[in-house]
């Protein structure tokens, strides 16, 4: 069970770091690079959260049918693919498909998924296990999202997101 807690901690670190807290970095960078309005960049983010929430409503049955390994792997690939695509957008409309793909990854690896994965392993100390796993989410906001800023400055937005996608997959 503790190995599962460690795995969900790492999953939370990257899913929240890149799929939740990282959004502020992406929005600000896209506005700065392309001169797009806040509305043009924020509307696709709203769609991202709505699509992720809709997926979260069905994620339990998906985990039950396919198992955690398949769903987490598929979600990680989707989040990574969306990140890489986001780094290549040249028009505001292209944000929608990039964020939509990312939302699949977010829905498959975020809060509900962590609880679904941990529940079978814990009864008596479930609260402790879940709280430790969700500390990864907090550290995603403290470590992963801020690390994107110097990475973007050093290698540029497309390469930084491609690098983040590779690290996520590893």
């Amino acid at each position: 069970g503790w190995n599962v807690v460690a795995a969900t901690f790492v999953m939370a670190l990257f899913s929240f770091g890149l799929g939740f807290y990282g959004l502020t970095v992406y929005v600000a960078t896209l506005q700065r690079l392309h001169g797009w309005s806040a509305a043009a960049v924020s509307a696709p983010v709203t769609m991202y959260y709505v699509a992720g929430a809709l997926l979260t409503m069905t994620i339990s049955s998906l985990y039950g049918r396919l198992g955690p390994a398949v769903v987490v792997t598929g979600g990680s690939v989707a989040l990574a693919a969306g990140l890489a695509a986001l780094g290549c957008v040249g028009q505001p409309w292209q944000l929608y498909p990039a964020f939509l793909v990312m939302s699949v990854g977010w829905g498959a690896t975020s809060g509900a998924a962590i609880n679904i994965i941990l529940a079978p392993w814990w009864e008596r100390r479930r609260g402790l296990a879940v709280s430790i796993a969700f500390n990864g989410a907090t550290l995603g906001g403290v470590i992963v999202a801020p690390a994107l800023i110097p990475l973007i400055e050093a290698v540029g937005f497309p390469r930084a997101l491609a690098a983040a996608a590779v690290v996520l997959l590893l």
Side-chain angles (χ1 to χ4, degrees):
W2 289 112
N3 289 336
V4 178
V5 171
T8 54
F9 177 95
V10 173
M11 185 173 89
L13 177 77
F14 288 103
S15 68
F16 279 82
L18 297 171
F20 183 74
Y21 297 110
L23 292 174
T24 58
V25 176
Y26 314 143
V27 166
T29 303
L30 288 164
Q31 284 183 277
R32 184 177 47 79
L33 288 177
H34 299 290
W36 296 337
S37 69
V41 179
S42 298
V45 172
T46 300
M47 183 235 20
Y48 167 83
Y49 282 120
V50 170
L54 292 173
L55 179 61
T56 298
M57 292 183 341
T58 62
I59 200 74
S60 179
S61 62
L62 196 59
Y63 269 92
R65 277 186 309 201
L66 302 175
V70 171
V71 178
V72 170
T73 300
S76 298
V77 168
L79 186 55
L83 280 171
L86 190 59
C88 299
V89 298
Q91 298 293 322
W93 70 266
Q94 295 170 331
L95 295 171
Y96 288 93
F99 277 122
L100 188 59
V101 171
M102 281 179 64
S103 73
V104 172
W106 169 248
T109 61
S110 62
I114 293 165
N115 283 299
I116 291 166
I117 292 168
L118 287 173
W121 291 92
W122 299 92
E123 280 186 33
R124 197 174 55 102
R125 300 180 79 189
R126 186 177 296 163
L128 175 63
V130 169
S131 67
I132 291 170
F134 271 98
N135 278 318
T138 302
L139 284 179
V142 173
I143 296 170
V144 176
L148 290 168
I149 297 167
L151 183 61
I152 291 168
E153 290 174 4
V155 300
F157 191 59
R159 286 188 179 136
L161 292 189
V166 168
V167 169
L168 172 65
L169 292 175
L170 295 176

